[in-house]
Amino acid sequence: MTGKKVLIYGFLSGMIILSASACFAAGTPVTDPERDAKGVLQQAESLADKAQQEIIKAEEKKSEVAEHGNANCSANPQNTKENGAIKTEVFEYLYDEVLDSGFEDEADEIIKPAETYAENLKKVKETFFAQPNEDSGLTELGEKVNKVTSAAGLDMSKAGLSTEEIKKIREIREEYASQVAAKNLKISLDLREKMAEDFESIQKTQTAGCNQLQGLMMDNRNLVALIKETSSDIMIQILTLESMGAKMLLKEDAELLSVPKKVSDEEEKS
């Protein structure tokens, strides 16, 4: 027997007992006290059960209203999609302009990203650098001098790039850096207005619905918006790294550094 039922049962029993006592005091005859007492208790228990059922129904109704009720109120997720949800205009723009697989810009015409690191490394070397000249065509006297200087670690037979070659590499790099800067500048300008819209929507964000179910829906909707904005931040960092890489290329030598030859054990002994 629950606490509420005991309380109701005790209250009703007390009232019936008081009524019975009043009858005795008034001289009302009682033919069978034991049977009458059992009837009084049964009646009290029946009333207590009925009262408890009413309380349970009332609590169930309150719980149902809390979980699912008032579904069509003005604060429900459906009615707050336009003016109560966090906007993700920055994400939508970057997704279309940066992540879309069909999107290409002018910088891609100079060097188009490949899928693997090895392929990209090869393209960077071929596009923005030049192999060093292996033979300078030294004169006989130059060859003699080179034998002396080579012993000191200075090989004169490997001449540097010509002025024309260096100029060509510089022009390609400058064109690439300009295209990257122009693209990212346009993205930056476009994002300013969209960021303002997203920030303004945050101030109007609806965080609670009209019941518990709508509250969970609000939490999920706001979490999705947070994930999108985090993705936007990562994409902007990628664009920043792209700009930094293009800028660093302008400072690098046009000629690739020669990789030192690994001397074998036999060559070292000889």
Side-chain angles (χ1 to χ4, degrees):
M1 188 178 293
T2 63
K4 289 184 178 180
K5 185 175 179 180
V6 171
L7 181 62
I8 296 170
Y9 176 78
F11 175 75
L12 293 174
S13 298
M15 292 298 295
I16 294 173
I17 291 172
L18 287 175
S19 299
S21 300
C23 290
F24 281 115
T28 304
V30 179
T31 56
D32 191 344
E34 183 178 354
R35 185 187 65 187
D36 290 344
K38 288 182 179 179
V40 168
L41 292 175
Q42 290 175 354
Q43 185 179 5
E45 186 173 2
S46 176
L47 291 172
D49 286 338
K50 185 177 180 181
Q52 185 185 28
Q53 292 301 320
E54 293 296 330
I55 292 174
I56 291 175
K57 288 182 181 179
E59 292 294 333
E60 288 178 347
K61 186 174 182 180
K62 287 171 60 178
S63 178
E64 184 177 354
V65 170
E67 292 179 2
H68 309 288
N70 199 16
N72 294 322
C73 70
S74 60
N76 72 49
Q78 187 66 27
N79 293 334
T80 56
K81 286 194 301 184
E82 297 298 327
N83 297 320
I86 299 176
K87 291 185 178 181
T88 55
E89 296 296 325
V90 170
F91 172 82
E92 303 300 336
Y93 174 85
L94 290 174
Y95 185 87
D96 293 336
E97 297 295 327
V98 178
L99 293 185
D100 187 357
S101 58
F103 177 79
E104 293 185 7
D105 55 36
E106 288 77 3
D108 290 333
E109 297 177 1
I110 299 174
I111 179 170
K112 189 172 182 179
E115 294 184 358
T116 66
Y117 171 79
E119 290 176 315
N120 284 315
L121 180 60
K122 181 181 178 181
K123 285 188 174 185
V124 168
K125 287 182 177 181
E126 293 175 348
T127 306
F128 300 120
F129 294 89
Q131 294 288 346
N133 294 326
E134 295 296 331
D135 187 5
S136 63
L138 294 176
T139 63
E140 183 178 352
L141 177 60
E143 292 289 354
K144 292 180 180 179
V145 174
N146 188 51
K147 288 181 180 180
V148 179
T149 58
S150 295
L154 180 60
D155 188 357
M156 299 296 294
S157 65
K158 294 182 179 180
L161 300 177
S162 66
T163 303
E164 187 64 27
E165 289 174 313
I166 293 176
K167 180 181 178 183
K168 182 179 179 181
I169 294 296
R170 296 294 183 193
E171 288 176 349
I172 294 174
R173 291 181 180 181
E174 289 174 2
E175 178 63 20
Y176 175 71
S178 298
Q179 295 295 349
V180 170
K183 176 190 68 175
N184 290 343
L185 178 60
K186 178 183 181 302
I187 292 175
S188 173
L189 293 174
D190 291 342
L191 286 183
R192 293 183 184 185
E193 181 180 353
K194 298 184 183 301
M195 288 180 66
E197 293 179 15
D198 289 354
F199 284 139
E200 185 178 356
S201 71
I202 293 175
Q203 300 175 2
K204 303 175 182 179
T205 301
Q206 187 72 30
T207 58
C210 303
N211 53 53
Q212 294 175 2
L213 181 61
Q214 290 183 4
L216 292 174
M217 293 174 66
M218 292 292 189
D219 290 341
N220 290 337
R221 185 172 72 180
N222 294 338
L223 179 59
V224 169
L226 175 61
I227 293 173
K228 286 185 175 181
E229 295 301 353
T230 302
S231 301
S232 300
D233 180 51
I234 295 173
M235 283 187 275
I236 291 173
Q237 291 183 46
I238 292 173
L239 294 174
T240 302
L241 290 173
E242 183 182 21
S243 295
M244 292 175 62
K247 184 178 179 180
M248 290 175 62
L249 274 175
L250 298 176
K251 302 178 181 179
E252 296 294 328
D253 291 335
E255 184 179 357
L256 281 172
L257 296 176
S258 299
V259 179
K261 179 183 177 183
K262 185 178 181 181
V263 181
S264 64
D265 295 336
E266 289 76 12
E267 291 177 329
E268 189 174 358
K269 291 177 181 179
S270 62

